[in-house]
């Protein structure tokens, strides 16, 4: 727990504190959600894996877009970041047809105004990645919006910039991950402006909580794909016949251990850094 910091916000599995007028502290917990419900059992080190991965990507995408990262704390789960004026849209990029993208396509043939080829199956790779902005729901689910609705919220010129940056970030990460056996099916970025008017990448980026990670060796279009990180927990929850309303079930220790191992595996495959080395000194991901 950070001392002398005001709590300014809670995400489902993260907390945000104000350090001073210009800086925030983003703290990633070990909580995990499945089917949109936070489970009562934590996954040890999950918050550290996500914090380290996000910092790894921040360090490697500076030339595409500056980011809010100021420092990683020694606990490995806390990021000191620059306070931004966040844009009122979620910047989603999809390379594959899954989740709400698949749902929208199967009903309308389009996602956020992108008319797609007919006959695509669930989880199909798209001819090219598409930018599919969404509103930020304060309660419930983000809503996919088309270009006109997004331009209404941020303006057309800024939307063009945000789309270009988002696509470039996704292409860079998807290529890197693909060469290490992980498909990044889609991902969500949060962008904002710093006090000098620069467009800056914030929040966490390119983690399994802000993206869909799929094991490349198991990828097969034509149905839902297993999640790289959460599949053990989902399968266990499904096996109970749980109705997917809160409170979720406790996870047994073998499911916790299997899930933790998958998070660590994602970290090590993507960063090529041993997770123990990250725990010993988090800044290794920044070099
Ligand atoms: C900011 N969130 C979402 C994330 C939470 C809530 N650098 C920034 N500047 C200003 N605002 C934000 C950020 C960032 N990141 C992010 N809400 C505001 C969020 C994590 C935990 F409780």
């Amino acid at each position: 727990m950070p001392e002398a910091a005001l709590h300014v916000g809670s995400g489902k599995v993260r907390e945000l504190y104000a350090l001073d007028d210009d800086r925030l502290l983003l703290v990633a917990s070990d909580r995990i959600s499945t089917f949109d419900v936070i489970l009562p059992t934590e996954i040890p080190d999950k918050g550290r894996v996500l914090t380290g991965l996000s910092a790894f990507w921040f360090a490697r995408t500076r030339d595409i877009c500056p980011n809010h990262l100021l420092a990683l704390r020694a606990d490995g789960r806390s990021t000191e970041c620059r306070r931004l004026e966040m844009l009122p849209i979620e910047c989603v990029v999809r390379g594959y047809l899954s989740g709400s993208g698949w749902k929208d396509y199967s009903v309308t043939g389009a996602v956020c105004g992108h008319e797609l080829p007919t006959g695509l199956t669930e989880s199909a790779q798209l001819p090219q990645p598409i930018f599919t902005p969404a509103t930020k729901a304060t309660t419930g689910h983000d809503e996919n919006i088309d270009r006109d609705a997004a331009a209404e919220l941020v303006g057309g010129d800024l939307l063009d910039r945000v789309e270009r940056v988002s696509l470039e970030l996704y292409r860079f990460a998807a290529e890197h991950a693909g060469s290490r056996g992980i498909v990044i099916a889609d991902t969500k970025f949060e962008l904002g402006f710093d006090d000098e008017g620069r467009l800056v990448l914030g929040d966490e980026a390119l983690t399994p909580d802000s993206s869909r990670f799929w094991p490349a060796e198991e990828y097969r279009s034509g149905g839902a794909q297993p999640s790289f990180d959460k599949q053990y927990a989902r399968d266990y929850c499904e096996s109970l016949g749980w109705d997917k309303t809160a409170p979720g079930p406790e996870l047994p220790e073998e499911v916790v251990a299997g899930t933790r191992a998958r998070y660590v595996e994602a970290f090590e495959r993507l960063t090529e850094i041993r997770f123990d080395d990250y725990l010993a000194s988090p800044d290794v991901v920044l070099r």
Side-chain angles (χ1 to χ4, degrees):
M1 194 67 150
E3 71 296 330
L6 282 173
H7 187 239
V8 295
S10 287
K12 274 199 299 190
V13 301
R14 300 174 303 156
E15 306 294 335
L16 197 56
Y17 301 87
L19 292 171
D20 56 41
D21 287 352
D22 308 319
R23 298 180 308 140
L24 299 174
L25 188 71
L26 191 53
V27 183
S29 76
D30 291 338
R31 295 192 291 276
I32 184 171
S33 66
T34 46
F35 307 109
D36 278 332
V37 174
I38 309 290
L39 300 181
T41 312
E42 298 195 329
I43 305 300
D45 293 323
K46 171 177 177 280
R48 292 188 177 91
V49 165
L50 269 59
T51 299
L53 258 185
S54 196
F56 170 83
W57 293 117
F58 282 146
R60 282 155 187 79
T61 57
R62 283 213 175 92
D63 296 342
I64 300 173
C65 184
N67 59 68
H68 72 164
L69 172 71
L70 296 170
L72 278 176
R73 289 210 167 164
D75 66 9
R77 65 169 71 253
S78 309
T79 306
E80 296 178 11
C81 49
R82 196 181 310 279
R83 196 193 283 260
L84 307 173
E85 201 64 58
M86 303 307 291
L87 302 186
I89 57 171
E90 311 272 13
C91 300
V92 178
V93 179
R94 300 172 188 275
Y96 295 75
L97 207 43
S98 182
S100 67
W102 164 244
K103 209 170 274 175
D104 293 352
Y105 170 78
S106 53
V107 175
T108 69
V111 185
C112 296
H114 297 274
E115 290 288 344
L116 298 172
T118 54
L120 295 176
T121 56
E122 184 175 11
S123 308
Q125 185 170 21
L126 297 172
Q128 64 228 330
I130 55 174
F131 177 67
T132 60
T135 58
K136 293 185 180 183
T138 41
T139 156
H141 272 121
D142 299 341
E143 187 193 351
N144 289 337
I145 53 177
D146 65 15
R147 173 161 199 92
D148 288 351
E152 200 70 37
L153 291 168
V154 302
D157 289 347
L158 178 54
L159 187 64
D160 286 344
R161 250 179 101 193
V162 157
E163 171 171 21
R164 278 198 305 274
V165 164
S166 298
L167 286 169
E168 210 179 324
L169 288 167
Y170 173 80
R171 280 197 203 95
F172 172 84
E175 198 273 325
H176 177 94
S179 74
R180 288 157 181 81
I182 294 177
V183 173
I184 303 182
D186 52 39
T187 195
K188 179 193 81 178
F189 300 112
E190 302 237 15
L191 292 151
F193 284 104
D194 70 10
D195 55 11
E196 287 167 89
R198 281 179 298 233
L199 185 64
V200 175
L201 178 61
D203 206 83
E204 65 176 37
L206 298 159
T207 69
D209 274 10
S210 66
S211 319
R212 283 190 178 84
F213 282 13
W214 296 337
E217 65 274 20
E218 288 172 57
Y219 172 70
R220 235 201 104 165
S221 179
Q225 303 302 297
S227 160
F228 194 95
D229 48 304
K230 288 183 176 171
Q231 203 56 43
Y232 292 135
R234 286 185 189 156
D235 289 349
Y236 173 75
C237 290
E238 296 262 43
S239 77
L240 298 175
W242 170 50
D243 66 2
K244 297 171 187 173
T245 63
E250 298 268 6
L251 300 177
E253 67 181 21
E254 64 273 17
V255 174
V256 171
T259 303
R260 180 186 181 280
R262 292 294 276 175
Y263 279 104
V264 171
E265 186 184 345
F267 176 95
E268 293 188 336
R269 278 208 212 178
L270 291 171
T271 65
E272 301 178 290
I273 295 166
R274 287 166 48 210
F275 186 60
D276 282 345
D277 292 344
Y278 175 73
L279 295 180
S281 58
D283 283 354
V284 289
V285 295
L286 303 178
R287 299 199 253 271

